[in-house]
Amino acid sequence: MTTGPGVSAAVERWPLVGRADIARRAVELLRRSSAVMVTGEAGLGKSRLARVVLDRCGTGGALVARTAATASPVAPPAVAALLTDAGAGSSLAEAPSGAAAARALRALAGGRPTVLGVDDADRLTPADAALVHELAERTGAGLLLTARPDAGAGPPWWQRRPVVDLPLRPLPLRATAALLTGALGGPVDGMTVRGLWRAARGNPLVLRRLVGVGLTCGRLVAVRDVWSWRGAVGDPRRWRDLTAVDAEPLPDGGAEVLEYLAVAGPLPEAVLRAVVAGPALDALVSAGRVVRTTGAAGTVLRPAHPLQVEGVLPSVGSLRRRRLFRDLVRAADPADGDRSRGPLQAWWRLEAAEPVPPATLLAAAGAALGTGRPALAARLARHVPGRDGALLHAEALVALGRAGEAERILCRLCLDRPDDPRAAATRVLNLFWGLSRTDEAAAEVERARQLLPRPDGSVELTIAAQAVALFTGGAGAPVDARGGGPLIRDVAEALETYLLTFRGRPGQVCAERDPEPAPAVWTAVRMSTQACQAYALVLTGRLREGLALARRHYVGALRRSSVEEATVAAHTVGVAEWWSGRPARALPALREAYALADERTPFPVRVFIAGQYAVCLAALGEVDRAGRILAAIDDRVAPGSTLCDRVELDRVLVLAYGGRHAHAADRADRLADRYLAAGRLTTGVECAYLHVRLAPARSAAAVRRLRDAAARCDSPLFDLFAEHAEALLRGRAAPLLRVADRFDALGYHGFALEAAAAAAHGPAAPAAANRARQRAAERCAGHAPPWLPSPTASARLTAREREVCELAAAGLRNGEIAQRLGISVRTVGNLLQLSYTKLAIGSRRHLAERLALAPLAAGGG
């Protein structure tokens, strides 16, 4: 990835993206001596495209002469510039005639085709226009012109020769992503791509200037190999550049519209129309610079992107700001005065320096939080004196992911009133889900339980304790959240969905949960609930539905400019792609989620994101890097917690992708027992299934365990896992092919490939098995897990021999291997000697190399 000073150089070398078809068409037409007109607004890249086209014509053998029209009285005429560029003598170029210029060009071409290029042709003088036309006619040259789209028909000579118009359009979103990736030298997160695309409206020149301002101000930064628009603000004066780069001026009254949106944020359309000129507002909406959205609260107008109003704020002084809010108050204040108690109106009155009773502010803040507007709730609650205002302020900060600020308030509140269950519960959630301080969260639960007169009677504390216990040592049945606050209700819904999903009831989640729930109070937690719903679809065999739902959530998060939602949704998209057996397609989404995850992302979700990203890297060959990521997770997860088991599963997968199949199978076996014994059936099934895939010939007991566990769940996909395991154990091609076909039809192409590869293994494999394997490999985009059966030397080892060799290569002594596998030390020695003979090596020093094992990841011994 480009970093440091090289970034500026990369932006200067702005790549040409999204114009390949037009460039190819132009070159084809010019080779046939046609006249081509490239039209487009300023900044769309007409001149750049013309240079590329003319360069290609020159590379193809044509004589190319180019110039740019100019209105300057001291510049040479266009035809003179063309002749000079082509290499004609200076005396001829000083006063060219049509005939003489044509003779000179034909002589220079020497039989080669000729192409003439004129940039800004709509600015040619009549005399130059006539000469260019005559020159092209006499030489039979191809003619490439660029012009503004409002140039009309142009000079009369343009009609005498047919001209093919190739209009340039603003770049679409996908091309903008490719352009930014090429300019910055690395991937750019979807939120940043969409925001810059909307701010620039697809104009490459505006986009380049925005990127330059972002780099200068420190807003556009590389985080974990992904470029994101965030970071330090930098020099506020630079933000004025953002309004100056727009290719189109603001309509009359447009600046005032942006002032209201800059200071007040999204506004009801009726209110905004009451304070600004209607034509200016309509013009901004038509141009896409102000966006209209309609929901339960009515029609709201917002800037297309925060960048469009960032430059306005420095010019709005305190007096002007106060007057703007007074206008909003008057526009929204009905005759009966009822709406003055609403959250927005209460905030406007505060900003307008009008008195608002504390009780009104407190009620408005509570209403704002309860309807999913925590930012507004925080603004209001911080003006409410006393404990109630402070607690509501802290809850709003927790919902916003500002865990550090919330902890300072909550710590003080819990010290002042240790018997307040609401404050204690909020602090527990913030310590664990926000600050990753698991031990302190558990200690706060115990402290509150000892101090509260009836701890079991507190809904808030019960749910907060369960949120911690779920990831540190198990949790009981879901708790009814009625009677709890809005924050608690979001957490309770997330816990219930998580419990059902991972305790073997993903089918129930699919049947009972609304995939598009009401607006969230704690956005990141609610998005985690939605992620579970998409994952439940994947776990029940409805992979395509789960992927489609995850993508809808991701696009919705981008439209709402919600980083918290985009982080979790990107991870869910990556997980669904992973289950399809295509890690290369999963990587961009997982990498983006890993880059965006911060304290606003619930702590357990951060662990899931990092672990899945590490596994995907290992599947694509970056085992060492995957190990470093897992080692970093170990430093943050409390020993003995259920999150440790989740990281252990990720480590098992990294070991398997590193070539240590038997070692991974052994650890998957033990992990499956732990999960199933604890009632965490879903991941238990996943571990048991991984175990039999890595060691299919080990025993029928492993297959029975998987079948029994699958029967305790409500997922038809788990039953298919069990069928696959039984077919692997028997080793017969026909059942394996039936399983492969079913996996393939459902979209689980990786599992289909494993079943087909097992069916195709051996000298008597049917031709249909090889065809099925090839088809599945193509749908996996060339990816194949390293444990697929192959005719290599190491494949001749028995499952037990390979297991002993892998453990020996990991550094275990014969006695340790014997204890691990439950066999005698003598048997270990005999198996190693047999393996050395098969592998043609003399000692264990060469085992890792001969078996093509990757180094052990940190913590993977």
Side-chain angles (χ1 to χ4, degrees), residues 594-725:
Y594 183 63
L596 293 177
D598 57 18
E599 69 172 8
R600 292 170 294 185
T601 310
F603 169 56
V605 179
R606 277 177 263 167
V607 174
F608 300 152
I609 288 172
Q612 185 65 67
Y613 180 51
V615 172
C616 190
L617 288 174
L620 295 172
E622 296 191 56
V623 178
D624 290 345
R625 190 176 174 197
R628 291 193 296 272
I629 292 174
L630 293 180
I633 299 175
D634 286 336
D635 295 337
R636 301 168 59 190
V637 175
S641 69
T642 55
L643 286 175
C644 282
D645 286 342
R646 179 70 242 184
V647 178
E648 170 67 2
L649 175 56
D650 296 329
R651 183 170 289 108
V652 167
L653 286 164
V654 170
L655 285 170
Y657 281 110
R660 300 178 179 274
H661 318 149
H663 191 185
D666 178 61
R667 295 175 71 157
D669 183 22
R670 287 178 281 152
L671 190 58
D673 283 341
R674 285 212 301 274
Y675 270 114
L676 294 174
R680 291 174 284 165
L681 299 177
T682 300
T683 314
V685 166
E686 186 179 350
C687 293
Y689 182 47
L690 177 62
H691 169 239
V692 297
R693 285 155 53 210
L694 294 174
R698 177 169 288 188
S699 71
V703 176
R704 286 197 301 271
R705 177 182 63 182
L706 176 57
R707 170 63 79 182
D708 292 343
R712 295 164 61 192
C713 302
D714 65 359
S715 167
L717 180 65
F718 295 173
D719 295 331
L720 187 54
F721 288 172
E723 287 184 40
H724 184 193

Side-chain angles (χ1 to χ4, degrees), residues 333-468:
D333 195 7
D336 60 9
D338 287 344
R339 290 184 61 191
S340 64
R341 293 193 295 271
L344 267 180
Q345 289 84 342
W347 175 52
W348 295 343
R349 290 180 181 279
L350 282 177
E351 295 292 342
E354 295 185 3
V356 185
T360 300
L361 282 179
L362 185 64
L369 185 62
T371 52
R373 293 178 287 176
L376 179 57
R379 289 193 192 105
L380 294 169
R382 65 189 180 90
H383 291 282
V384 179
R387 182 180 181 85
D388 290 342
L391 181 52
L392 191 54
H393 186 204
E395 290 176 331
L397 292 174
V398 169
L400 290 169
R402 291 156 61 179
E405 297 175 61
E407 169 60 11
R408 288 191 289 273
I409 300 173
L410 290 167
C411 184
R412 185 181 69 250
L413 292 175
C414 289
L415 287 174
D416 292 344
R417 283 269 308 277
D419 59 343
D420 183 347
R422 180 178 158 195
T426 306
R427 188 177 183 218
V428 167
L429 293 171
N430 191 53
L431 285 169
F432 180 67
W433 289 68
L435 295 173
S436 314
R437 287 151 59 174
T438 308
D439 292 341
E440 290 182 55
E444 180 66 17
V445 170
E446 292 306 314
R447 183 197 65 79
R449 281 175 168 166
Q450 292 173 6
L451 293 173
L452 294 180
R454 291 185 57 204
D456 293 338
S458 167
V459 172
E460 290 95 341
L461 187 60
T462 301
I463 291 175
Q466 187 182 62
V468 177

Side-chain angles (χ1 to χ4, degrees), residues 2-302:
T2 306
T3 56
V7 169
S8 298
V11 174
E12 288 302 317
R13 298 189 300 271
W14 202 248
L16 185 69
V17 172
R19 311 301 191 196
D21 291 341
I22 292 180
R24 186 164 43 252
R25 173 72 171 149
V27 170
E28 291 173 355
L29 289 168
L30 292 171
R31 284 173 179 165
R32 299 199 295 265
S33 300
S34 300
V36 177
M37 174 78 73
V38 178
T39 58
E41 298 290 350
L44 289 182
K46 301 185 299 295
S47 300
R48 178 70 183 282
L49 177 65
R51 288 197 298 272
V52 170
V53 169
L54 293 174
D55 286 344
R56 291 182 185 176
C57 291
T59 303
L63 172 67
V64 174
R66 67 191 86 193
T67 187
T70 176
S72 172
V74 298
V79 173
L82 280 173
L83 293 173
T84 301
D85 185 69
S90 59
S91 59
L92 178 64
E94 288 175 1
S97 67
R103 285 195 299 273
L105 280 181
R106 284 196 294 268
L108 288 169
R112 292 178 293 158
T114 302
V115 176
L116 307 179
V118 182
D119 201 12
D120 295 328
D122 52 313
R123 299 175 63 185
L124 284 170
T125 65
D128 270 344
L131 277 174
V132 169
H133 170 63
E134 183 180 357
L135 189 60
E137 290 296 305
R138 287 178 178 271
T139 60
L143 187 59
L144 178 63
L145 311 169
T146 70
R148 299 187 314 274
D150 58 357
W157 63 272
W158 287 3
Q159 285 84 55
R160 294 201 299 270
R161 183 180 188 187
V163 177
V164 179
D165 187 15
L166 297 180
L168 282 189
R169 307 296 185 195
L171 290 177
L173 180 62
R174 188 183 298 274
T176 300
L179 177 56
L180 289 169
T181 299
L184 295 169
V188 185
D189 77 72
M191 186 82 65
T192 298
V193 170
R194 192 177 187 89
L196 290 172
W197 173 68
R198 289 191 305 189
R201 301 195 310 284
N203 187 300
L205 177 62
V206 176
L207 185 67
R208 182 159 88 172
R209 293 178 182 175
L210 288 170
V211 168
V213 171
L215 293 170
T216 302
C217 294
R219 278 285 183 95
L220 187 58
V221 294
V223 180
R224 295 175 180 170
D225 299 329
V226 175
W227 287 96
S228 295
W229 191 278
R230 57 165 93 176
V233 174
D235 183 359
R237 292 172 296 179
R238 290 288 296 163
W239 288 107
R240 298 183 184 181
D241 293 348
L242 294 176
T243 57
V245 299
D246 221 325
E248 299 176 12
L250 290 170
D252 291 339
E256 186 179 25
V257 173
L258 293 181
E259 282 183 337
Y260 281 107
L261 293 175
V263 299
L267 288 170
E269 182 170 3
V271 173
L272 192 55
R273 286 194 178 278
V275 294
V276 300
L281 181 56
D282 292 335
L284 290 175
V285 171
S286 298
R289 299 162 83 169
V290 171
V291 179
R292 178 187 287 114
T293 56
T294 303
T299 302
V300 175
L301 296 174
R302 66 182 71 240

